[in-house]
Amino acid sequence: MVDREEACALLIDDIGFFTAVWNKMYRRECCRDIEFNENIHMNEDGEWNARILKQVSSVVCMGEALYIWNRRGDSATHFGEKGLQNDRKSLTVVDSWENIYHEFKSISPILEQKSYKRFLAVLKERIIATYVANDKIYDELILRSESVRKYSTHLGIRDSLFLIKYSILLCLIKMHVKPAVVKRIDML
């Protein structure tokens, strides 16, 4: 058995197993009024689990397999093996992690920082990936970075933002992007 805070940390740290809903059993009263966010197309399980975890006091983890999973060839779970696509649906992973941050920030300062850092990591990854593939979507993510600055001011981790911005700039410079683009990002 793990308490709520530890279960939330597992959701933040673990990609896949803990976020998935298919490998868990839920008490009906815990999830009766919680629906999947139809606007989220990536990490929708993680976001749904975050809302469940916010209202429980503990979670029981079992070492015994009680469910047999038959993974079909056309399953959405193969998506990660193919790599993230650069389209509007794939960008909802950023929305999902931002929503998880909002769910967890009221639980504890540690979860607030952990979920915020995960949100930043996902945002940074999507900015770089979409820049390489599609400038128009990339521009939207750069505008989205305003929310990153908004959250950072009350957490007091401006140094982390600086390091992320610096990392992005270095990556773009190494990819030999136009100087005007690098300057634009540097002004954020």
Side-chain angles (χ1 to χ4, degrees):
M1 185 178 313
V2 296
D3 67 17
R4 176 179 55 189
E5 191 167 341
E6 187 177 351
C8 292
L10 285 170
L11 187 136
I12 295 167
D13 294 338
D14 182 55
I15 300 171
F17 178 77
F18 205 81
T19 57
V21 296
W22 61 263
N23 61 1
K24 293 169 192 54
M25 294 172 59
Y26 300 87
R27 290 183 188 251
R28 184 175 302 161
E29 61 269 13
C30 292
C31 57
R32 183 168 297 170
D33 297 326
I34 298 178
E35 297 180 2
F36 280 88
N37 183 339
E38 293 181 16
N39 297 318
I40 302 293
H41 302 280
M42 289 189 62
N43 197 39
E44 65 276 13
D45 289 6
E47 182 188 49
W48 189 83
N49 274 318
R51 286 185 274 140
I52 295 287
L53 290 173
K54 188 174 179 182
Q55 64 181 4
V56 301
S57 60
S58 63
V59 174
V60 175
C61 299
M62 302 173 70
E64 180 184 356
L66 301 174
Y67 178 86
I68 304 298
W69 177 40
N70 184 10
R71 189 173 182 196
R72 297 184 329 262
D74 63 344
S75 170
T77 59
H78 292 290
F79 190 75
E81 296 167 6
K82 298 173 191 169
L84 288 174
Q85 304 299 312
N86 291 314
D87 60 15
R88 303 235 180 270
K89 285 185 177 183
S90 73
L91 296 182
T92 63
V93 71
V94 175
D95 300 327
S96 173
W97 280 104
E98 183 174 10
N99 294 343
I100 290 170
Y101 160 73
H102 286 296
E103 291 293 337
F104 288 175
K105 70 182 181 180
S106 63
I107 297 173
S108 79
I110 291 170
L111 286 175
E112 180 178 27
Q113 285 196 330
K114 283 179 76 100
S115 59
Y116 181 69
K117 287 177 184 176
R118 182 63 184 271
F119 166 58
L120 288 181
V122 170
L123 180 60
K124 181 184 90 167
E125 184 275 331
R126 292 285 69 210
I127 286 172
I128 293 170
T130 55
Y131 175 77
V132 171
N134 185 329
D135 283 347
K136 189 172 186 177
I137 294 175
Y138 169 78
D139 287 340
E140 291 174 26
L141 281 174
I142 291 298
L143 292 174
R144 175 76 181 272
S145 69
E146 286 299 314
S147 65
V148 172
R149 282 196 264 168
K150 176 177 66 181
Y151 302 145
S152 70
T153 56
H154 75 278
L155 287 178
I157 57 171
R158 285 199 175 271
D159 291 338
S160 295
L161 284 176
F162 170 77
L163 292 175
I164 289 169
K165 185 171 110 177
Y166 182 73
S167 297
I168 291 170
L169 291 171
L170 283 181
C171 289
L172 295 175
I173 290 168
K174 288 178 183 177
M175 292 186 293
H176 305 288
V177 300
K178 296 177 185 175
V181 174
V182 174
K183 286 180 183 177
R184 181 175 174 198
I185 294 170
D186 192 42
M187 291 188 315
L188 293 175

